[in-house]
Amino acid sequence: MGLRTATSTSTGLAFAALQYLAAAGLVTYVAGDSAWISIGVAGLLALVAWGFFGELNGMFPTAAAIRRYMSGAMDDRVALSVTFTYLTTIVLVVAADAFIVGAALTRALGVPSGLTALWTAVLLALAVMSNLRGVKVAGWVQDIATALVLAATIVVSVVALARSGHPLVTPLNPLGGHGTNLVESIALGVFLYSAFEWVTTNAEEVRRPEHVHRAMLLAVIILFGACALMTTALGHVLSRGQLLSATPQLYLGSKAFGGAGIWLMAAVTAVTAVNTFNGGFVTASRFMYATAREGSLPPLFSRLNDRAVPWVPVLALGIASFVLAVVVQVVGGAGWQVLVAVGATLEAMIYAVAAFCVLRLRARMPDHHRPFRVRVVMPLAGVGIAVFGTLALVSSVTVANRLNPAPLVVIAVVGAASGWYVVSVVPKLRAAEEARRAARTRRRPSRPAGGTAGPS
Amino acid sequence: MATSEEIVEAYGEWQVRCNANPRLAKMLRGWDRRVHLVTSDSGLTFTIAVSGSVLADIVPGSEGVPDVVVTASSEDFADMFWGDLNPSEKYVSGDIVLAGSSEDVMRLDAMSMVAFLDR
């Protein structure tokens, strides 16, 4: 994997269909045309997170990095609980993307909204089947998909702005207007960059180790440009009702190119799923497989099919994503808004955890090789923990610019379930695994007495 | 520290087991790879190859351009080839380091798991 594919992977993973909804939601939090400022501030915060992930990825350039740096920095049970909770972000994004693509197809085709669940099921079934068959999107396909999505979004945004016929009203006044919530808009802005760090799981595939680090930086810059332009256009040409709908990107397409624009953006929304489903399913299922192999998930999760794919995790992810997507549809508008808030909270939380890990590992592993080091780490990590912690807290109790503890409740339930599982179930699983190992006879012949071999 | 002979002997066992497993033959279909093994403690290198679902004999030294490079201690290599070690666990703990794709990691681990645990 070269720098280009690493960059498109990082950008593509972040630029999911949920991006459009989060960007439109962000616009309602600040004074219309000024939303790009929140995205800029969030981009600066993402750069701080980039520094943390860069240092951690440099220390542990492996797909298992998250397990390594977390268990190195904190108690293994806490690390595992946090990791399981973070894993829900992947299910959440896959579910949200399936629902949003389904909603976009429903609207573009002009069919009853009840069919959204059908599209969602079909999309997830396709994703599950292709994963089970070991189909992996080639790097060049990923490059093209990401470039198409970004180019179409930028062109549609520019044309919609140009055709609006009136100038920007408040491009430099994020605090003006009724109901302004700058902190929450920045938290949502951070969510627009979320998952750019997932490319670190490809650390073993890159041609040169520094590619992952550079790719993440380029992705943050590209995401800032595309998202700033998109939010400005969304805020400028759409009504509040359109912004809070499940398909704001289709309204934007319509403003730019009429009926053709709706189809264009529906197609673009579908293309975003290529990266999300590919990256999400592969990352999460392989993680679950490795966790089962080390004895922290039931052995069932390490079963492989004839294509060496861990089929139980893939199936479980598909089913969990479908159930979540249906719940979102049944609950209606508030459903995906809660989903966005949960995603924003978890992402801010994991950035705070990354800051903590950097700080802790500097003390615990001072001599570990660090190809990239965060400068002035003490104040920066301290600020990172405080800022991302605050953003996580704010976004966990805010939905669509109103006080609503639903995201906090969802995260608390998932976190508690993860914690209970790690404390109560994992020790039993590990004990059973140890017993199985002890029952196996060692196959390797013992060396003759006194015959310890040295290097040959 | 395991000697070169011990690693070669252990690999021989692994090779026989893997090549005799029909399920593994299906799993390795289309996965033709040249793998370099590097021992982190004794500096030994070996080359193994998978072609047409069949593991070839181990060759001392680094031959050709590798698709995957596996680095581990000589003891871990010997234990892994004898089926006494869970490579996945060692990979997560960082004792086994891989340069390759996530698919390569899965296939290599699958070889150990299917050949010895038959899961």
Side-chain angles (χ1 to χ4, degrees), chain A residues 289 293 304 437 447 453, chain B residues 3 23 75 86 89 91 109:
Chain A
Y289 167 83
R293 285 280 279 146
L304 298 172
R437 280 181 202 175
R447 289 192 181 108
Chain B
T3 62
R23 186 148 176 261
E75 282 292 315
N86 178 346
E89 207 174 310
Y91 168 72
D109 192 57

Side-chain angles (χ1 to χ4, degrees), chain A residues 61-64 67-68 136 201-202 204-205 282 286 289-295 299 302-310 433-434 436-437 440-445 447 452-456, chain B residues 1-6 9 17 23 26-28 42 44 75 78-79 82-84 86-89 91-94 98-103 105-107 109-110 112-114 116-119:
Chain A
T62 158
R67 284 285 290 128
R68 301 236 6 237
K136 196 166 181 276
T201 60
N202 297 94
E204 289 141 335
E205 297 183 46
V282 171
R286 287 0 174 221
Y289 167 83
T291 312
R293 285 280 279 146
E294 69 166 358
S302 65
R303 294 219 173 251
L304 298 172
N305 69 9
D306 285 347
R307 293 171 196 270
V309 175
E433 180 63 24
E434 281 305 315
R436 272 194 295 274
R437 280 181 202 175
R440 280 200 294 268
T441 318
R442 190 170 158 81
R443 295 187 183 89
R444 187 176 171 187
R447 289 192 181 108
T452 308
S456 61
Chain B
M1 219 181 286
T3 62
S4 178
E5 291 72 26
E6 281 177 297
E9 184 194 1
R17 250 176 198 275
R23 186 148 176 261
K26 277 189 194 171
M27 277 190 186
L28 297 181
S42 53
L44 297 169
E75 282 292 315
D79 283 341
W82 278 109
D84 291 329
N86 178 346
S88 220
E89 207 174 310
Y91 168 72
V92 171
S93 67
L98 258 121
S101 70
S102 60
E103 188 197 354
V105 176
M106 285 300 301
R107 304 269 180 161
D109 192 57
S112 276
M113 195 171 70
V114 175
F116 291 101
L117 301 179
D118 201 28
R119 277 186 192 163

Side-chain angles (χ1 to χ4, degrees), chain A residues 201-446:
Chain A
T201 60
N202 297 94
E204 289 141 335
E205 297 183 46
V206 290
R207 285 192 208 118
R208 293 169 65 182
E210 66 271 23
H211 280 168
V212 169
H213 192 57
R214 287 181 188 162
M216 287 195 289
L217 175 62
L218 289 172
V220 169
I221 294 167
I222 293 168
L223 286 165
F224 166 69
C227 293
L229 199 56
M230 177 171 64
T231 44
T232 304
L234 285 166
H236 196 62
V237 301
L238 300 195
S239 66
R240 185 177 165 83
Q242 290 169 331
L243 287 170
L244 292 175
S245 74
T247 53
Q249 77 278 23
L250 299 199
Y251 287 109
L252 188 66
S254 162
K255 297 281 183 186
F257 298 115
I262 293 178
W263 276 104
L264 173 67
M265 289 312 285
V268 165
T269 309
V271 173
T272 61
V274 171
N275 285 336
T276 314
F277 289 175
N278 182 47
F281 271 93
V282 171
T283 306
S285 63
R286 287 0 174 221
F287 174 79
M288 289 166 83
Y289 167 83
T291 312
R293 285 280 279 146
E294 69 166 358
S296 299
L297 274 175
L300 182 70
F301 284 85
S302 65
R303 294 219 173 251
L304 298 172
N305 69 9
D306 285 347
R307 293 171 196 270
V309 175
W311 62 273
V312 177
V314 170
L315 212 57
L317 285 167
I319 293 168
S321 302
F322 179 68
V323 170
L324 193 58
V326 169
V327 169
V328 166
Q329 201 192 352
V330 170
V331 173
W336 58 255
Q337 284 160 1
V338 170
L339 218 60
V340 168
V342 170
T345 305
L346 287 174
E347 202 59 28
M349 186 190 84
I350 203 70
Y351 290 174
V353 169
F356 172 79
C357 289
V358 167
L359 208 54
R360 203 70 190 272
L361 292 176
R362 284 283 181 102
R364 287 190 174 182
M365 300 180 179
D367 300 325
H368 199 289
H369 176 58
R370 288 173 172 82
F372 174 81
R373 291 174 76 92
V374 177
R375 291 182 187 171
V376 286
V377 69
M378 277 297 273
L380 205 58
V383 167
I385 293 168
V387 170
F388 289 124
T390 305
L391 291 177
L393 195 65
V394 170
S395 53
S396 70
V397 291
T398 316
V399 177
N401 214 1
R402 288 194 182 88
L403 188 69
N404 183 341
L408 185 63
V409 172
V410 171
I411 292 166
V413 168
V414 174
S418 299
W420 169 82
Y421 176 81
V422 169
V423 171
S424 305
V425 182
V426 170
K428 290 175 190 162
L429 287 172
R430 286 188 175 165
E433 180 63 24
E434 281 305 315
R436 272 194 295 274
R437 280 181 202 175
R440 280 200 294 268
T441 318
R442 190 170 158 81
R443 295 187 183 89
R444 187 176 171 187
S446 349

